[in-house]
Amino acid sequence: MRPLDEATARAWLVTALDEARAGMAEGGVPVGAALYGADGALLGRGRNRRVQDGDPSTHAETAAFRAAGRQRSYRGTTMVTTLSPCWYCSGLVRQFGISRVVIGEAVTFRGGHDWLAEHGVEVVVLDDPECVAMMREFTARHPELWGEDIGE
Ligand SMILES: [Zn+2]
């Protein structure tokens, strides 16, 4: 797998952030994600749609994964997400052998990314202040909605 430079990681995060912002504007959970191919091409992007679609299984990562359609292999692909992936999405990464996860922030929520790293997934945490600010604003305004999303 090609090493990932920080400029590319941050550029990819912008795609996920755009999705998260759109989710926020729709009144949804503001988490966005994008799946990039081994060659750096954007395969799919999406956002959490729990509120918009009434579908608790549509997290940002699953939405991006589904938007990418069928892929013969996920080797070399990168899942970019604005927030540390929950257990459900961490499971998706392992199930399909996605090689790398780029995470906007893991301050407001810490999902399964240590577990992914222990199992050979390359994990990059960017500590992006905008991702943190968005989640802080959302969880302060809608604590019940956030609790529902993470199963608490
Ligand atoms: Zn998730």
Side-chain angles (χ1 to χ4, degrees), residues 86-150:
C86 73
W87 288 112
Y88 165 57
C89 296
S90 295
L92 179 142
V93 168
R94 279 203 67 195
Q95 171 70 34
F96 294 96
I98 292 170
S99 299
R100 181 162 50 207
V101 179
V102 171
I103 298 165
E105 63 106 347
V107 177
T108 66
F109 175 75
R110 201 172 177 91
H113 71 265
D114 286 334
W115 176 74
L116 289 173
E118 280 163 24
H119 289 88
V121 177
E122 184 185 338
V123 173
V124 178
V125 181
L126 293 173
D127 284 321
D128 182 81
E130 195 175 343
C131 291
V132 175
M134 195 162 49
M135 281 309 291
R136 288 230 163 103
E137 185 187 334
F138 169 73
T139 54
R141 248 200 267 164
H142 304 287
E144 70 305 325
L145 183 53
W146 179 234
E148 181 186 314
D149 201 64
I150 57 176

Side-chain angles (χ1 to χ4, degrees), residues 5-18:
D5 60 278
E6 191 175 336
T8 303
R10 293 204 179 267
W12 288 357
L13 181 64
V14 169
T15 308
L17 252 171
D18 283 347

